[in-house]
Every structure is written in structure tokens, then in C-alpha cells.
Amino acid sequence: MLIRTDNITKTYLTGTVEVPALAGVTLEIDKGEYAALMGPSGSGKSTLMHVLGCLDTPTSGRYWFNDRDISTLDDIELAHLRNREIGFVFQSFNLLPRLSAQANVQLPMLYAGMPVRERQARAAELLEMVGLKDRMTHNPNELSGGEMQRVAIARAFANRPSVVLADEPTGNLDSKTGVEIMRIFGSLAEQGNTIILVTHDQSVAGHARRIIHLADGKIVS
Amino acid sequence: MRLVELLRLSLETFRTHRMRSFLTALGIIIGVMTVIAIVSLIQGMNYEVEKQISSLGSNTIFIQKFAFGMGRLDWDEINKRPNFTMDDALAISQLPTIDKVAPSRSRTLNKITWRSNKVTNVDMSGSTPALAEVGNYTVETGRFINSDDSLRRHQVCVIGGYIVDNLFPYETPLGKRLVLDGKSYLVVGVLARKGSFLGQSQDNVVVVPITSFEKDFAPGRGFGELMYSIAVAAMPKKGVPIEKAIDDVRELMRRRHKLGYDKPDDFGISTQDTIRDIYRNITRVAYIVMIAVAAISLLVGGIGIMNIMLVAVAERTREIGLRKALGATNQDVLWQFLLEAVMLSLVGGAIGVALGLGIAKVVELAAHLKAAAPLWTILVGVGFSAGVGIFFGIYPASRAARLNPIQALRYE
């Protein structure tokens, strides 16, 4: 089992009011699954993604990633886990504007301490995989939205992570480009990669093989 | 993450924010530049002055109406002091601890001409043959003044190389007659060159017998009159400690001036060390001022760096969040921003060193002063700027490192 959570809760404190974002989520995701976390805004799907991505810690409940209890890990171990085991794709791409596509893709490998030549070769390979071989030296402001998201996908897969978490990956794209992006995710899932989509869009979630519906911080189906 | 990558990252920022980085580093640049320029000039001056002081002869005692020194002198009181006389000089020379004595009078000649050539502001001294040894003069051609000249008040003079260059560029000065303040003097010798000091030639001098000087040249007024009083340079005998010789001279002069035991000296005794002390006092003040200026500008520069780093951290909050999501540890982020601050101040320090050396070079060429920046000033300059970078960079960097990745990613 790659991901296993037991009754996870997350409560935010806004001023003096406690806002429950997750109200007991128990979830299992296997290696190789292509799943979608779906729900309206405020359903807690983004919070759940942050917890699953080890960017945030749950208020209560346990979370095992690859059979390791996340609550026992310190900051540095969590950073290493995010670096090696988890890839992120964001709605707003989050590319560094001053770096070329290739340099952006290299970032996770940089933090993994990979030698320059290996990094460059791997970045080229990844960009070719998402169909941007001829755009490697371009900066983000010279790329279209779809191209930027493809760079972000290449970056997410840089260190061959166990899971890629994609938060509304088509949210900032027109529907035609969105379909292209979903096709890339589809083929990557086909190759055995574990992918978790987070979306409120039924047509996007429809690409996944399993849909997990969230409402009010709980799994409803 | 490796250091090389972090360095590349911080240099990247300078490329994108050239103007901002330069302005931020300006405080450091000015601070380090000031230190380097001033230190190398003071060092250069030290070298010149030391050379000059050494040329006085380490054993020479100077006895005049007032001692060399710092601080305010009471000129009214000094003017009331008795003048030194040739008898005083003679008495000093007869002390058992004293070897040679050269009494001298001096004044400045506005102008000496030879045909269409002229020199101005010439130092003229009247002295005795002993001046050659006591005053460290060597004769290049001809001869120095001798005892016969002194005895018979010969109108002869020995001139410095500067005067030779300007008055007699194509002929020998020996045997020529120069008009000194209306009196005709025969040139009998040329002095070996002493070079220049602080841009002023040391060879713009004329030496005549003191007896002739007294006959032909009336004292000036005010300060001129004061300087007209005989100044005595004395050399102790070999093996006699200079302190002992000074004590003897002092005792002798107090007796000759009939001073009671409770009265202060009405004359002054100086040595090479007195002059060196005066000079050291002056440079110490210069160093203190320099340290103050440097400290203030490094402080201001450091605050500037802290300010701009806080701006950079705020501006790049999303970047920090992203880097953490991609696997950067808190240390990675800390190092990234700390190194950026250090590089900023280090580059500023390096530019400051270069500019400081440049300024010193310009002053060197303009003032004929040998400037020298010792290696330690460069190391201290660069070291201090790096220290400033670390000190003022650590707070912004640790703020960046502590950012919560989710909040940072959501930051607009």
C-alpha cells in the first residue's frame, strides 16, 4: 500500500474560530492507481492534497506513506520525502520565471544532489516525453499556458516519484489545451505511474480510473 | 544542495536586479573604499616620513626656543624667551657628552635668479662646517663651507640639486656668483640630492656660513624673527646614551638662563623620537576618524542589505514555497538567501577595494606620494564586508527558511 490514512482531521484556526477542513478521512491508494479527489470548493480536497503531499501535517489521525509513519519524520526527512517520492503539479504552474524550461525541470534533481550532466540529460528526456524538446531553452514567459503546464509535469516526474499530485492542473487552461494535458496524464498513468488529481470538474475527474468524492471534509463515496 | 549551485543561484539574482544590487552594495563599497584609500595613503606617508625622520640622524638633539610638539603654543610667552646665541652653542659643544654641534639660522628667500632662470621659496641656512655631519649633508661637487669661511665671513654658498637644475641646467654652478637678498655669494659646492618629501623638493636649499648670514641678512618680523634665533643641532659622543646628553644640555641651558628650580624650561629640546611621536599622534587621529567612517558606512550598508533581503524574501515568497514543495530543506533556503546577502556585500567589498586602490593611485600620482595598501587592509576590507553580509543577512534568510510552504505557495 503506497498511501494509507487513518481518520485524518485538520482544523484551521482563523482568528479565534476553529474551522474544520478535514473531518476524519480514511483512505488507501495503491501503487499504480490513477485517482481523482473530487468535490466542490471548501470540501477539503486541497487540504487533503497538502497533507498527502507532506506539505502540511494533520491535526489528528495517522498517515503512512510507503509504510512509514509520517508523524515520526522531522523537517529534513519530510523535505527529502517531498523531493524523492512526491511530485507536484499546480493550477498556476509555479515555474520560476527567470529559469529556462530545462532549468525549471532540473530543480528537484538539484535538491536531490544529482550531478549536472545527469540532470541535464534527464531534463531533456523528460521534456521530450511531454513534447517540448524544441522548447528546452525557452523561459516561461515565452511559453503558452499548455506548454508551461507540460514543463511542470516534466518537473513533477523528475526524480521518478512514487506519486504525483496534481491540483486542478487544467484550471488555468482552455478546454482544448486541458484535454491535451489530461492525455499526457493518461499516458503516464498507463505507464504505471501513481497519479492523484484534485479537481472540482467532473469531466477532468472522468479521466481517472477511480474517483473519490469529498464533501465537508469527509469522503462520501 | 551543493555550494556551487547556491553560488550560481545568488549570482543569478544580481543579473536580474543589477541596479538594485549595485545601490544596495553602495554603502559597503563606500566604506571599504574609504578604508583602503586612507590606509594606503597613510602607509605611503608613513614610509616617506619615516625616511625623512631617519635622515635627521637618530642621535641628533635639536635645541631651540620651543620644542616641536602638538597642541597650542603660547607665542607671546615664547617671544619673551631669550634667543640662543653663538656662546650657547659653544658652551653646548664643550659638554663632555657632546661630540659635534651645528648652530644654524634660517630664513626663506623669495627668489634667486640667474640670467633668465629663477627659483622661488628657497630655504637658506647659515651654519658651521659641522652641519655637514649633524644635518646629514653630503657634497656632490666642490666643497662644503669650512672654518675659514666662518672665521672670515666669506660670501660663499653651497646649493642643493633643485637650484642647480633650475638655474644652471647647461653649465656648472661652481664659481658662479648668485645674488641672495641683494648680496653676492660665490657658489663653492653642490649638495647631494635628498629627493622630495610630500611633493616638496628637499634640494631647494642654500647653505652659507653663519657669520656671513648674521652680517648680511637681517631677521624678519614675527615668526621670521623667532626662526631667526639660533637653533642648535647637537650630536652626543659615541657610546653616550641620548637621554644622558639631553639631561646635560638641559642642565647647562637652565644654568646659563639662571632659571630657579621651580621655573619651567624657557627653551625646547627635541629628538627624532619627539618628531616621530608627533607624527604618530597625527596618524592615530586619522586612523580613528577612518575607523569611525568605515564603521558607520558598513553599518548603513548592512542595514541596506538587510532591507533589500527582506524585500527579496517577500517578493519571492511563492518561489520559496515552491522550492520547499520540490524538496528544498529549511537549510537549503537559509543558505540560498544568506549566501545572496554575503555575495552582495562581498562583491561590494571587492569593488570597494578596487576603487580604494584606484583613488590611492590617483593621489599618489597627483601628490608624488608613495601609496601602499598592505595585504592586511585588503583582507580586513573583504573580511568585514563578508561579516556584514552574514550579520545582516541571517535574519531575512532565517525568515525565508521558516516560511510555511503552503502559505508561501498561496501568497499573492
Side-chain angles (χ1 to χ4, degrees), chain B residues 151-217:
Chain B
L151 211 61
R152 295 169 194 273
R153 303 189 172 184
H154 284 159
Q155 287 179 313
V156 294
C157 65
V158 183
I159 60 176
Y162 180 84
I163 298 178
V164 176
D165 290 346
N166 286 281
L167 295 189
F168 307 101
Y170 306 118
E171 50 194 323
T172 173
L174 297 180
K176 303 285 178 353
R177 288 201 157 266
L178 286 180
V179 175
L180 307 179
D181 199 20
K183 303 287 195 281
S184 173
Y185 273 70
L186 182 71
V187 179
V188 294
V190 173
L191 296 168
R193 282 157 204 273
K194 287 189 165 183
S196 64
F197 175 57
L198 301 180
Q200 189 101 40
S201 174
Q202 295 293 106
D203 301 309
N204 192 9
V205 292
V206 175
V207 179
V208 301
I210 191 164
T211 46
S212 321
F213 189 105
E214 282 172 347
K215 188 181 77 183
D216 286 341
F217 308 110

Side-chain angles (χ1 to χ4, degrees), chain B residues 42 280 299 320 332 342 412:
Chain B
I42 291 181
R280 294 229 170 107
L299 181 73
I320 295 162
D332 286 332
V342 171
E412 293 300 328

Side-chain angles (χ1 to χ4, degrees), chain B residues 394-405:
Chain B
I394 195 94
Y395 172 67
S398 68
R399 246 171 84 149
R402 286 198 312 263
L403 281 175
N404 176 317

Side-chain angles (χ1 to χ4, degrees), chain B residues 358-377:
Chain B
I359 289 176
K361 193 78 196 164
V362 168
V363 176
E364 178 180 317
L365 294 175
H368 305 286
L369 186 74
K370 199 171 176 59
L375 188 63
W376 67 263
T377 51

Side-chain angles (χ1 to χ4, degrees), chain B residues 77-110:
Chain B
E77 190 268 324
I78 287 168
N79 265 321
K80 285 188 199 115
R81 292 177 171 185
N83 280 335
F84 275 81
T85 63
M86 284 304 278
D87 288 343
D88 291 329
L90 191 66
I92 293 171
S93 74
Q94 283 162 353
L95 282 169
T97 45
I98 296 295
D99 182 15
K100 280 199 161 63
V101 160
S104 58
R105 296 181 188 277
S106 55
R107 56 176 289 192
T108 303
L109 289 177
N110 289 334

Side-chain angles (χ1 to χ4, degrees), chain B residues 40-61:
Chain B
S40 40
L41 288 175
I42 291 181
Q43 287 287 327
M45 216 144 79
N46 280 351
Y47 171 77
E48 294 281 328
V49 170
E50 190 50 48
K51 205 169 70 182
Q52 202 66 25
I53 292 173
S54 301
S55 78
L56 291 173
S58 59
N59 256 344
T60 312
I61 304 166

Side-chain angles (χ1 to χ4, degrees), chain A residues 45 89-92 149 166-172 198-201:
Chain A
K45 58 186 194 303
V89 176
F90 303 95
Q91 179 175 1
S92 51
Q149 196 59 301
D167 187 5
E168 303 279 9
T170 59
N172 279 10
V198 176
T199 185
H200 66 277
D201 188 339

